[in-house]
Amino acid sequence: MRVLFLTTSHNSMSQRFQIELTRLGHTVSVEFAISDVLMEEAVALFQPDLILAPFLKAAVPESIWSRYPTLIVHPGVRGDRGAYSLDYAIMQGQPRWGVTLLQANAEMDAGDVWAWREFPMRQAPKSSIYQNEVVEAAVECVLEALHHFPAWRQGEWQPTPLKDLEGAWGVLHPVIKQKDRAIDWATMPTQEVIRRIQAADGSPGVLDQVLDLTCYLYGAQVHYEPVGQGRPGEVLAHQNGAILRRTLDGAVWISHLKTKGGIKLPATQVLGDRLAGIPERWGAAGYQEIRYWEETVNCAPYHQLVGHLAWEFQGGAFNTEQARSLREAIRTAKQRPIAALVLWGGHDAFCNGIHLGAIEAAKDPALESWESINAINDVVLELLEMEQQLVFSAVRGNAGAGGVILALAADRVLLRRGVVLNPHYKGMGGLYGSEYWTYLLPRRVGQRTAQQLTNGLLPLGDEEALRIGLVDVLLPGDRGAFAEKVQEQLWQALHPDILSATLALKQQGLKADRERKSLERYRIEELAQMGRNFWGETAYHQARREFVYKIAPTSTPAHLALHRRVQEEIQRYDHA
């Protein structure tokens, strides 16, 4: 079938849909929902069998849904309607939520239901629930709809009218305004504060006053140690970029702030000198973005000590200081008597490379770009020089650009099913990329495939990543089962006889690689290209600015809009 996506952006959900449908043999094309005219033009060019709307901020025009079956993904339970569905669910503390796949009609979210799924809610930011539970439920709904589609087309199956669904519930939500999200620090307990900030995480944030500065709040975490002083709302301390604020019955860490019209940045960076006189730490644990721990793996009759390194950076990207801190954590781990180091990355994103927001906010974005890429290069180099231990990448969240390459610096890459990889840079204004990708990517998949991945600009699914050798093992999509299977992989690899032989082969391979071409040479060549991106006449700075400020595109990128590529080829042929 030909399936056209009408979507506001090619986000984690639409990318996952593209991977799953392509895997099933369907032809997928993407059109950004920029205007009714462009959507109608895309439909006329592609003549789709089915239209999917994974993520829309604009309505599909009647001229389309009245003529083509158009299915809308709604991130809410059956009967729930309107925008901000997930925001409401988190703010209300709903124990369960879901996804409904509806056929578009004249009334918002009131069309016939093709499929639905429900899931238990966990306490997490909206962006985390969306990228995990919502995306997984939506994929199941779409696959069920595709199963029914041939019978529907033959008139042998019909979707269910929303009003006929037993147990359907929910309401048409009004628009949530900032006054509805506002925090009353004097009366709201910690959990209410957490829910309000998590419900607005990603976008739009919760508007508030911090040290007399009007800004939006993001990234709330409970502070579990006793506080014992301060008035509600007061900033008690700051650490690793976050600030600690008193609540009615405790305190919360807030990692990021954004001024009106500004960029989301670490809270301490936004507040600057306003934090003068406020302590830099509070309690034994405080706020940690990077966490290291050790466990003993029983390889009976032997035991091996294993180091584990996880990090939680906003959006999965590293600013310069975060990359430097991560490098120091790896250096410290190398000095420990461990047999292996496991890189877990973040819960929702393993890593997405350099932090474009931090670069955009810098006084000299070109210089900050240079500092950032060198800092993340140092992280990769530290891993590549880890010759006395095995390194495992346990990729449990999506990864993009330099984040994929960072994972490849490990000896073994373990991938959770359902994770989406984007091993390319050029979509950011033709950025060349570094992180030793010209060594690590061809080493894994060969030169030809490496060029296809970096030039194609398309998301890569789990099974394809395994097939081409980008990753070594696919492990279960359930996070608990994934962690258990990682332990099994460690147990198998760390038996002393196997470990000794593996390390010997690793050292021989690294020596042979470096005799052919030094790591320093790869880095010099990559950075020469990056220097042109940063200081030359390139589109990188404009593309970064549009990304950071979420400037709406004026057209759909050619690598996504298959229907427009075909039209261009026909026009080129006719002209020739």
Side-chain angles (χ1 to χ4, degrees):
M1 285 197 313
R2 287 205 296 265
V3 183
L4 177 66
F5 291 1
L6 297 179
T7 185
T8 297
S9 67
H10 201 36
N11 68 357
S12 58
M13 181 181 291
S14 59
Q15 289 183 24
R16 181 72 183 282
F17 284 1
Q18 183 179 23
I19 289 166
E20 297 292 344
L21 269 61
T22 302
R23 181 184 295 163
L24 292 172
H26 302 294
T27 301
V28 174
S29 193
V30 179
E31 179 72 20
F32 287 170
I34 296 168
S35 71
D36 288 1
V37 170
L38 288 175
M39 285 191 279
E40 289 165 349
E41 184 178 88
V43 171
L45 287 170
F46 196 55
Q47 293 292 303
D49 299 295
L50 175 67
I51 296 172
L52 278 178
F55 173 63
L56 272 183
K57 293 185 177 180
V60 177
E62 184 177 0
S63 58
I64 292 176
W65 60 254
S66 63
R67 296 168 53 225
Y68 294 86
T70 303
L71 303 184
I72 309 289
V73 176
H74 177 68
V77 292
R78 294 164 290 165
D80 179 87
R81 298 171 55 209
Y84 304 107
S85 173
L86 200 52
D87 304 52
Y88 274 107
I90 295 171
M91 289 175 68
Q92 295 168 358
Q94 295 287 355
R96 293 185 63 81
W97 205 239
V99 168
T100 309
L101 190 64
L102 302 143
Q103 187 159 348
N105 65 11
E107 194 173 357
M108 187 176 186
D109 299 330
D112 293 347
V113 175
W114 281 64
W116 70 86
R117 292 292 187 277
E118 292 184 3
F119 50 81
M121 287 285 279
R122 59 188 167 90
Q123 186 180 81
K126 176 176 62 175
S127 55
S128 180
I129 299 291
Y130 182 89
Q131 291 177 43
N132 292 280
E133 286 88 344
V134 170
V135 168
E136 292 300 327
V139 167
E140 291 184 14
C141 287
V142 167
L143 294 181
E144 181 180 327
L146 290 176
H147 172 75
H148 289 307
F149 190 76
W152 174 83
R153 194 151 50 179
Q154 296 296 323
E156 298 171 357
W157 180 88
Q158 291 296 320
T160 306
L162 185 61
K163 63 182 177 59
D164 293 347
L165 276 172
E166 182 180 354
W169 58 293
V171 295
L172 177 59
H173 298 301
V175 172
I176 302 181
K177 299 179 180 179
Q178 279 297 334
K179 65 180 179 63
D180 304 313
R181 300 183 187 272
I183 296 170
D184 185 344
W185 294 91
T187 63
M188 290 182 181
T190 299
Q191 288 305 317
E192 176 67 16
V193 172
I194 290 285
R195 280 199 299 270
R196 290 192 172 226
I197 297 176
Q198 288 185 336
D201 201 80
S203 178
V206 174
L207 191 62
D208 198 30
Q209 288 277 326
V210 185
L211 299 176
D212 296 324
L213 179 68
T214 301
C215 53
Y216 297 91
L217 314 180
Y218 305 89
Q221 295 182 22
V222 176
H223 177 75
Y224 289 102
E225 297 173 294
V227 177
Q229 65 183 60
R231 66 186 184 279
E234 181 181 352
V235 177
L236 302 176
H238 61 93
Q239 185 178 0
N240 293 326
I243 57 171
L244 181 68
R245 295 189 74 178
R246 186 74 161 90
T247 62
L248 180 65
D249 57 351
V252 296
W253 290 98
I254 297 169
S255 67
H256 284 68
L257 302 175
K258 184 180 78 169
T259 57
K260 289 185 176 180
I263 298 170
K264 187 190 305 180
L265 294 168
T268 55
Q269 185 175 344
V270 174
L271 293 172
D273 292 341
R274 295 170 189 266
L275 291 169
I278 294 175
E280 292 190 15
R281 184 180 179 88
W282 193 286
Y287 178 82
Q288 301 293 335
E289 293 180 304
I290 300 172
R291 189 165 70 95
Y292 175 79
W293 71 100
E294 294 178 350
E295 293 179 346
T296 300
V297 175
N298 183 9
C299 305
Y302 305 98
H303 296 81
Q304 300 282 18
L305 191 63
V306 175
H308 297 266
L309 192 58
W311 53 86
E312 290 292 349
F313 299 141
Q314 182 82 14
F318 297 177
N319 64 32
T320 303
E321 291 307 313
Q322 289 167 332
R324 289 170 178 167
S325 296
L326 185 59
R327 181 193 186 191
E328 288 306 310
I330 295 169
R331 279 184 166 180
T332 301
K334 287 167 70 171
Q335 306 307 312
R336 297 285 301 152
I338 58 174
L341 177 67
V342 183
L343 307 174
W344 291 92
H347 181 277
D348 303 315
F350 180 82
C351 174
N352 285 319
I354 58 177
H355 196 301
L356 298 174
I359 291 169
E360 183 64 26
K363 292 181 179 179
D364 186 338
L367 180 60
E368 183 61 27
S369 298
W370 183 260
E371 294 289 338
S372 291
I373 198 63
N374 274 281
I376 197 170
N377 280 355
D378 289 342
V379 172
V380 175
L381 181 61
E382 204 67 49
L383 294 169
L384 290 174
E385 292 180 339
M386 201 165 182
E387 298 186 15
Q388 303 305 315
Q389 299 95 357
L390 289 183
V391 181
F392 294 76
S393 287
V395 184
R396 53 184 173 167
N398 295 347
V404 177
I405 307 305
L406 187 151
L408 302 187
D411 303 299
R412 287 183 67 77
V413 181
L414 316 176
L415 185 68
R416 185 176 68 85
R417 284 193 178 274
V419 164
V420 175
L421 305 174
N422 279 282
H424 45 78
Y425 304 82
K426 291 186 178 180
M428 190 51 59
L431 198 63
Y432 184 78
S434 193
E435 293 100 1
Y436 301 89
W437 79 263
T438 52
Y439 165 58
L440 291 169
L441 196 53
R443 184 177 74 162
R444 277 270 171 179
V445 302
Q447 192 67 45
R448 182 178 179 181
T449 302
Q451 291 299 322
Q452 291 172 343
L453 291 174
T454 52
N455 291 329
L457 305 183
L458 294 173
L460 185 68
D462 48 15
E463 292 184 6
E464 180 68 5
L466 179 66
R467 186 188 67 79
I468 65 176
L470 190 73
V471 304
D472 296 292
V473 183
L474 277 188
L475 299 179
D478 176 82
R479 289 179 179 273
F482 174 75
E484 291 177 4
K485 292 297 182 181
V486 169
Q487 289 297 112
E488 288 185 14
Q489 292 288 318
L490 292 171
W491 179 83
Q492 293 170 11
L494 297 183
H495 186 282
D497 294 339
I498 297 174
L499 176 62
S500 178
T502 304
L503 284 174
L505 287 173
K506 171 181 178 174
Q507 292 158 8
Q508 291 170 13
L510 291 174
K511 183 174 183 293
D513 285 350
R514 290 164 192 175
E515 286 175 351
R516 286 189 292 270
K517 185 174 180 177
S518 70
L519 292 176
E520 182 181 11
R521 175 53 54 189
Y522 285 106
R523 182 165 178 159
I524 288 171
E525 291 174 357
E526 290 173 1
L527 289 177
Q529 296 285 349
M530 293 292 270
R532 296 185 184 99
N533 289 138
F534 298 156
W535 285 285
E537 295 295 325
T538 68
Y540 159 67
H541 293 292
Q542 180 62 28
R544 184 195 66 244
R545 192 167 299 114
E546 291 174 357
F547 175 84
V548 169
Y549 285 104
K550 295 181 172 57
I551 297 173
T554 56
S555 63
T556 305
H559 65 278
L560 298 177
L562 175 63
H563 51 284
R564 298 191 184 279
R565 294 212 307 272
V566 171
Q567 182 190 40
E568 289 171 5
E569 289 296 326
I570 292 172
Q571 290 174 343
R572 190 177 299 114
Y573 178 82
D574 289 344
H575 180 73

